[in-house]
Amino acid sequence: MSKELTHDWYVVRCFSSHEKKVKEFLEREIEEQGLEDKISEILIPTETVVEIRAGKKRTREKNFFPGYILLNTHYDEEVNNLIQSAPSCLGFLKVGKNETVPTPLKEHEVKRIIGRVQDSGDEARNIEIPYSEGDLVKVISGPFKDFDGTVQEVNPEKLKLRVMVSIFGRKTPVEVDVNQVESAT
């Protein structure tokens, strides 16, 4: 009577920044209770992001759905009870207030999320620059050192900013590296 179980992707809600803790708990419990046939994969959708802080490049993992975990499972009461018993876990994401069974994700949604996780190796797309248009900045190095200005344009591919500074009383756009400025506020 070995019947093949159908697996779908479901969304599990948990406390923000507790995703790894919940995943580790679930992995331990799945192994202890022998639920490998019902739960095939647990995914925390993250991407690698390069940040520039204080002139230094740092790489970190960024969760692009904070507070959510994806679970590839055959949904039944046993799986539901496991999720409900997990610490820091709020349960399956349900569509309506009166729904008792969660709705699985559509296949194109899952492909988009998994594709985004796999594409996170492309560093140029994932650089997080702490400045945006309209921010007040102070140039701290280069030929325009000690000038104050307003960010006019952000170019994450080249790690450059176009800043409007006042030179001899006229507003002039200058292009500077991201690590040549600091926030003026």
Side-chain angles (χ1 to χ4, degrees), residues 10-165:
Y10 292 90
V11 178
V12 175
R13 293 176 33 205
C14 61
F15 296 152
S16 188
S17 73
H18 287 233
E19 297 88 359
K20 285 184 181 171
K21 177 181 167 185
V22 172
K23 180 180 178 181
E24 290 167 3
F25 172 83
L26 291 175
E27 287 171 342
R28 267 194 324 272
E29 288 298 310
I30 289 166
E31 193 174 318
E32 281 180 24
Q33 295 181 20
L35 296 174
E36 291 90 354
D37 59 328
K38 289 187 178 180
I39 301 174
S40 60
E41 191 175 353
I42 303 170
L43 176 68
I44 301 172
T46 60
E47 59 188 347
T48 306
V49 176
V50 178
E51 289 182 316
I52 297 177
R53 298 267 185 226
K56 293 186 173 90
K57 264 186 170 183
R58 289 190 206 147
T59 305
R60 71 175 178 94
E61 285 289 310
K62 180 181 177 190
N63 187 346
F64 53 85
F65 293 131
Y68 296 98
I69 294 174
L70 300 180
L71 198 66
N72 192 2
T73 184
H74 172 76
Y75 181 83
D76 64 6
E77 276 306 308
E78 191 175 17
V79 171
N80 187 42
N81 292 338
L82 172 66
I83 297 300
Q84 293 294 337
S85 69
S88 306
C89 194
L90 302 170
F92 282 99
L93 183 66
K94 297 180 175 87
V95 177
K97 288 182 184 176
N98 301 328
E99 292 291 321
T100 56
V101 177
T103 306
L105 291 172
K106 293 177 177 62
E107 193 172 329
H108 72 274
E109 294 172 325
V110 174
K111 284 181 180 175
R112 185 174 48 93
I113 292 168
I114 292 175
R116 187 170 168 190
V117 169
Q118 291 170 345
D119 288 346
S120 74
D122 181 12
E123 277 193 25
R125 193 168 83 43
N126 297 320
I127 293 178
E128 196 170 278
I129 296 178
Y131 307 107
S132 58
E133 289 182 29
D135 287 353
L136 296 174
V137 293
K138 179 178 181 144
V139 181
I140 56 172
S141 68
F144 300 101
K145 184 178 178 182
D146 296 327
F147 279 83
D148 290 333
T150 306
V151 177
Q152 185 181 26
E153 185 182 334
V154 178
N155 188 340
E157 291 83 30
K158 294 183 179 178
L159 298 177
K160 300 263 186 197
L161 301 173
R162 178 168 288 131
V163 179
M164 291 296 279
V165 296

